[in-house]
Amino acid sequence: MSEELVCSKPEEVRDAETENSVEIIIQLTSENPLNDHDHDVNQETERETETLCTEIRPNHNRVSKELFQTEEDDDDDSGTHYLSCDERPCTYLRRAERPGHGKLLDTFQTDHLLYYERFKAYQDYMLGDCKTSEVEAFTAEYLEKIVEPCDWQAIWHTDVFDVLVEVVDVDCKELKAKVELVLPMECETRSCDLTEESMKSLLEATLHKVPLLELMVVYDESGDFDQTALALEHLRFFYKHIWRKWDEEDEDDDFDYFVRCVEPRLRLYYDILEDRVPAGLVAEYHSVLALCSKKFQEFSSLRSDLNSDSESEQDNVSMVEGLRMYEQLEALKRKLRIIENPLLRYVLGYKVNSGQQSCRAKGPRPAGGHVVHLVSASATVHQLQSLITDKLMPHYSSEEFEVQFHSDPVLAVNACYEGDVVIICPGLYIITSSISLVDSIEVEGYGLPDEVVIEKRNKGDSFVESTGANVKLSNLKFIQRDAIEGILCVRQGKLEMENCVMQCETTGVIVRSAAQLSMNMCDLYGSKGAGVEIYPGSVCSLVGNGIHHCKEGILIKDFADELDAMPKITMVNNVIHNNQGYGVILVKPGDATVEDLPPEPIAADEKEEESEDTGVKPEADMNEDDDDFDVPIIVVEECPAIKHSHSIPPDFTEGNDAIKQELVATSAKKHGLQKSRIKALGAMQADENLLSQEMFISIHGNQFKLNGKGSFGTFLY
């Protein structure tokens, strides 16, 4: 019965009774010392008593805390209420050794924290769900609970010196600490002489108060100052990479500051750190951020100088200038928000900056003439002799050519002017930046593609970007490693590729609107998207290529905008096989987008089929009585030799006709949408250039094998 009663007692009562018993044991032991022969027994008893007390007191403290906890404590939602002294996260930090053989002590290594560690610190401990106006108060409360108030050493780090100090007090609201100089003085200076007397004078001038952001906690193996070091690291990182001077003036103060600002900026910082953002966009972001900071400083200075009661002409001019500056500042802040938002970063921000704005065409060489750029890390005499005999003498022996040598293909391309030639000798060339083809040049490999390999290992940039008017690539192999951008993008101008191999890791070749691509006898594989993406208004010629082991073979984009012109496509004798999805896929708007169109003309498809044997251009019947709808002019070329050939199984070539029919029908629908909307607007006369867009199609002899979803499909959006 007694055992049941003991077990049924509340836990706090049992703990209190046990602690009282321990105190009685200690008291009796002190009042009745043992003899010498019982010394060993006494030591063993003391050890057991000490162990028992150690086990009891933490539990007793926890029970006391629960007993005296008020309802006000339960309602605390500051995000830091659970950071009591007994529940602080215990993170073991490594020692950050100082470079060289300096006299100063080592500090804690805190700059290696992962994304989720900083995320949790800001969300759960430091900021919680505070508003922008509450950031300072929440930060001060966090520091008061974490940072040791005194008796710890730190390195006072500035741009000019590092000196050892001891913290005697911390003012969390002002984010400052009162320090004393450790004597004898230990310091390291940079391009200046600093004595003990001058340092004391400096501290007296600052009332011995220094910013917490400039203090680096001295390493201590006990772990007592781990949390202090972490708290100061989170504080430094926040005000260096997260906080903006204009945040406190944000009109959206009713929203959660962490969700609205901290999380996207923190994510962007780590995306940049891990090379997940194109280098051009990173440069644009830092440039806009610096410009925004400068503009905000100018705006704040102008605003402080204005006198609201004054009606002078000078103040009126300053007011107008302030409004103009405010609009510029808001535009810069809006652009920063676009880049910081991971969803809008590429949709809006990346369209503005594609990484090549600083690379503009140089045009012809000012001094005239052309240069042959030879790229080779090393070459034997025999290789040079063969190169001169086979390549240089037959084609570039005239006086207008001179030869320059490079070891990096990127440097060779950057040194080119219009009309130059880059010849890359056999070898493996590893690059970390993109190849920007901005002038009309030729880049060719001397040998087979597998012998001239260019490998890119940096995540941030695209591999090859072409904007030149007439660029040629040949006999090269491109390999992507750890990429986030496509392997090749033709943004404008014309690019001719021949006998090249592209080992993709993200997307493949992209042909933007108004750009031209001629890709012959190339091999492309490994794309996680489409092997070739064809945008509206582009010209794309694919002849004799192999496109395989991609998510999709060829993707043709047909945007919903009726002003987007259909691309001009040539696909002849390509082998498209072993792709995860379709061999060719057309992306177009769903039926709801074109529900108001006139009936689809059947004559266009029929006349196309009738003209395949004759090669005549099929046109719609232009009935004078029918002014509501005209079928666009569509050119379809067919190769009779391929058509009547039985060397290729029909199952492998049946996709050619399906692609042609779908593209013709899509073009007719787009044309009808254009004209119906123009008539709905009441236009007296339609634009002849708009309504007579010619879609050129030459699709034959292509083989489709083992594609996961078939040779051709459509995706409606």
Side-chain angles (χ1 to χ4, degrees):
M1 184 67 178
S2 59
E3 293 181 358
E4 295 179 356
L5 290 175
V6 171
C7 295
S8 63
K9 290 181 180 180
E11 184 179 356
E12 57 269 21
V13 176
R14 284 188 278 120
D15 293 339
E17 292 178 353
T18 307
E19 185 165 8
N20 291 334
S21 302
V22 172
E23 293 177 355
I24 294 173
I25 293 173
I26 297 174
Q27 183 178 2
L28 291 175
T29 305
S30 60
E31 293 176 355
N32 301 302
L34 300 178
N35 298 327
D36 294 339
H37 65 276
D38 294 331
H39 181 70
D40 296 337
V41 178
N42 185 24
Q43 286 184 340
E44 184 177 355
T45 304
E46 288 179 356
R47 284 195 299 269
E48 294 177 355
T49 303
E50 183 179 358
T51 303
L52 184 60
C53 291
T54 303
E55 295 176 353
I56 290 174
R57 287 192 177 106
N59 195 29
H60 175 69
N61 292 337
R62 178 184 58 79
V63 173
S64 301
K65 200 183 327 179
E66 292 175 355
L67 289 176
F68 291 99
Q69 188 176 11
T70 62
E71 294 182 0
E72 183 179 356
D73 296 333
D74 293 336
D75 295 336
D76 186 8
D77 59 350
S78 64
T80 59
H81 65 282
Y82 38 78
L83 273 178
S84 62
C85 296
D86 296 333
E87 296 177 349
R88 291 178 184 171
C90 298
T91 304
Y92 178 77
L93 300 178
R94 297 180 180 179
R95 180 193 302 267
E97 297 182 358
R98 300 187 66 82
H101 301 283
K103 300 178 181 179
L104 292 177
L105 300 177
D106 296 334
T107 57
F108 286 99
Q109 182 180 349
T110 56
D111 57 355
H112 66 293
L113 299 181
L114 301 177
Y115 167 78
Y116 77 91
E117 292 176 309
R118 297 192 191 274
F119 182 94
K120 183 175 179 61
Y122 293 132
Q123 185 184 47
D124 297 345
Y125 300 155
M126 183 171 170
L127 300 175
D129 56 355
C130 72
K131 302 175 184 178
T132 306
S133 58
E134 301 172 334
V135 169
E136 292 184 3
F138 272 63
T139 302
E141 181 182 356
Y142 164 73
L143 295 176
E144 288 174 355
K145 294 184 178 182
I146 296 297
V147 175
E148 295 292 337
C150 59
D151 300 331
W152 48 277
Q153 292 185 341
I155 302 296
W156 182 15
H157 173 75
T158 67
D159 296 334
V160 181
F161 61 82
D162 292 345
V163 64
L164 180 63
V165 296
E166 182 170 353
V167 177
V168 296
D169 190 20
V170 176
D171 189 343
C172 297
K173 293 183 179 180
E174 294 186 2
L175 300 181
K176 290 186 177 182
K178 187 175 182 180
V179 300
E180 295 290 346
L181 183 64
V182 175
L183 300 177
M185 186 180 73
E186 299 181 13
C187 72
E188 293 179 359
T189 60
R190 287 173 282 277
S191 67
C192 70
D193 294 330
L194 189 64
T195 63
E196 185 174 313
E197 295 299 326
S198 59
M199 179 56 67
K200 288 182 179 180
S201 300
L202 177 61
L203 288 175
E204 290 176 359
T206 60
L207 301 178
H208 288 261
K209 291 185 177 181
V210 300
L212 285 174
L213 301 175
E214 298 179 358
L215 293 181
M216 314 286 292
V217 182
V218 171
Y219 182 78
D220 185 270
E221 294 182 353
S222 65
D224 295 338
F225 304 108
D226 284 9
Q227 300 308 312
T228 299
L230 277 176
L232 296 186
E233 168 62 25
H234 292 315
L235 185 69
R236 272 191 303 271
F237 186 91
F238 175 77
Y239 280 102
K240 184 177 181 181
H241 300 290
I242 305 297
W243 179 256
R244 307 283 185 255
K245 296 178 181 179
W246 50 85
D247 283 350
E248 56 189 357
E249 300 184 0
D250 200 333
E251 298 177 355
D252 299 331
D253 192 48
D254 295 334
F255 296 94
D256 190 335
Y257 179 73
F258 177 85
V259 174
R260 189 164 48 88
C261 297
V262 178
E263 184 178 0
R265 292 172 184 172
L266 183 64
R267 180 70 270 175
L268 176 62
Y269 172 83
Y270 276 90
D271 284 345
I272 294 175
L273 188 66
E274 297 167 2
D275 292 330
R276 298 185 181 277
V277 181
L281 193 58
V282 174
E284 178 75 4
Y285 177 72
H286 290 310
S287 175
V288 174
L289 184 60
L291 183 60
C292 192
S293 300
K294 180 181 178 181
K295 191 68 65 176
F296 178 78
Q297 186 175 0
E298 295 175 356
F299 175 74
S300 300
S301 177
L302 179 64
R303 182 175 54 183
S304 61
D305 294 340
L306 286 176
N307 187 357
S308 58
D309 298 332
S310 175
E311 296 182 357
S312 64
E313 183 179 353
Q314 181 64 33
D315 284 345
N316 291 335
V317 173
S318 299
M319 184 71 71
V320 174
E321 178 67 18
L323 291 175
R324 184 185 65 83
M325 196 176 297
Y326 176 78
E327 292 178 355
Q328 295 176 351
L329 183 62
E330 289 299 313
L332 293 173
K333 289 161 62 175
R334 184 165 52 252
K335 191 170 185 179
L336 287 176
R337 285 194 296 268
I338 289 175
I339 302 178
E340 290 168 353
N341 190 312
L343 298 178
L344 302 178
R345 185 178 305 160
Y346 296 100
V347 176
L348 299 178
Y350 193 60
K351 278 188 176 182
V352 177
N353 185 295
S354 55
Q356 80 284 353
Q357 289 183 344
S358 60
C359 301
R360 296 185 178 181
K362 301 176 184 177
R365 183 170 274 97
H370 300 289
V371 174
V372 178
H373 302 268
L374 290 181
V375 181
S376 177
S378 62
T380 64
V381 176
H382 178 70
Q383 289 175 337
L384 287 177
Q385 183 179 3
S386 300
L387 179 62
I388 294 173
T389 304
D390 300 340
K391 206 73 179 174
L392 298 181
M393 292 301 295
H395 301 93
Y396 310 108
S397 59
S398 61
E399 295 182 356
E400 65 172 335
F401 286 98
E402 66 176 56
V403 179
Q404 294 182 5
F405 295 89
H406 306 269
S407 59
D408 187 347
V410 177
L411 298 178
V413 171
N414 292 341
C416 285
Y417 284 81
E418 182 179 324
D420 286 359
V421 178
V422 179
I423 299 178
I424 305 178
C425 296
L428 173 62
Y429 302 89
I430 298 176
I431 64 175
T432 56
S433 58
S434 61
I435 300 176
S436 298
L437 306 170
V438 295
D439 285 283
S440 298
I441 63 174
E442 296 183 21
V443 182
E444 59 178 303
Y446 179 62
L448 299 175
D450 290 335
E451 298 174 347
V452 186
V453 181
I454 303 176
E455 182 177 319
K456 186 175 182 299
R457 295 185 178 179
N458 190 12
K459 296 179 181 179
D461 296 316
S462 56
F463 200 152
V464 180
E465 297 234 357
S466 179
T467 57
N470 192 3
V471 180
K472 296 181 180 180
L473 298 177
S474 60
N475 303 331
L476 297 170
K477 182 174 183 178
F478 301 96
I479 300 178
Q480 279 185 314
R481 303 288 188 194
D482 299 327
I484 61 172
E485 292 291 302
I487 196 166
L488 188 149
C489 181
V490 188
R491 297 194 175 274
Q492 63 186 38
K494 180 180 180 181
L495 173 66
E496 296 182 15
M497 294 186 65
E498 185 172 351
N499 197 29
C500 291
V501 178
M502 284 161 284
Q503 180 178 319
C504 309
E505 189 164 84
T506 53
T507 55
V509 177
I510 300 175
V511 190
R512 296 284 187 181
S513 300
Q516 300 182 39
L517 170 67
S518 178
M519 182 171 158
N520 303 326
M521 306 301 295
C522 295
D523 190 31
L524 187 152
Y525 58 93
S527 172
K528 292 182 175 64
V532 179
E533 292 185 15
I534 304 175
Y535 276 68
S538 62
V539 178
C540 184
S541 174
L542 306 175
V543 179
N545 302 288
I547 303 174
H548 55 96
H549 294 92
C550 303
K551 185 176 181 181
E552 308 286 351
I554 300 173
L555 186 145
I556 304 173
K557 292 190 174 183
D558 169 36
F559 292 157
D561 190 353
E562 67 273 13
L563 298 180
D564 287 328
M566 290 294 291
K568 298 181 179 180
I569 301 173
T570 300
M571 289 177 54
V572 179
N573 296 342
N574 299 285
V575 181
I576 305 172
H577 64 96
N578 290 98
N579 295 291
Q580 182 179 349
Y582 291 101
V584 177
I585 183 170
L586 174 66
V587 179
K588 64 177 184 177
D591 295 337
T593 309
V594 292
E595 60 185 2
D596 297 330
L597 288 179
E600 182 177 337
I602 307 300
D605 293 338
E606 294 176 353
K607 293 198 173 186
E608 175 208 343
E609 295 174 359
E610 294 174 2
S611 63
E612 286 182 354
D613 294 335
T614 60
V616 179
K617 180 186 301 184
E619 299 181 2
D621 292 333
M622 301 298 180
N623 297 328
E624 297 180 357
D625 298 335
D626 186 9
D627 295 332
D628 295 335
F629 186 68
D630 292 328
V631 179
I633 300 174
I634 301 173
V635 178
V636 180
E637 287 191 357
E638 189 66 42
C639 179
I642 297 295
K643 180 178 180 180
H644 298 290
S645 176
H646 299 284
S647 59
I648 302 175
D651 295 341
F652 293 163
T653 60
E654 62 181 4
N656 294 278
D657 295 335
I659 297 171
K660 285 185 293 186
Q661 293 173 5
E662 184 63 35
L663 292 179
V664 168
T666 301
S667 180
K669 288 182 179 180
K670 185 180 289 288
H671 176 81
L673 182 61
Q674 292 169 359
K675 189 166 184 178
S676 62
R677 290 190 178 181
I678 290 176
K679 288 188 178 239
L681 294 175
M684 296 299 295
Q685 184 175 0
D687 187 352
E688 294 298 329
N689 292 329
L690 178 64
L691 296 181
S692 62
Q693 291 176 350
E694 181 180 282
M695 178 181 174
F696 180 86
I697 302 176
S698 178
I699 300 177
H700 57 79
N702 302 287
Q703 300 183 44
F704 301 89
K705 306 177 183 179
L706 303 178
N707 295 294
K709 296 183 179 180
S711 59
F712 177 74
T714 57
F715 177 80
L716 304 178
Y717 63 91

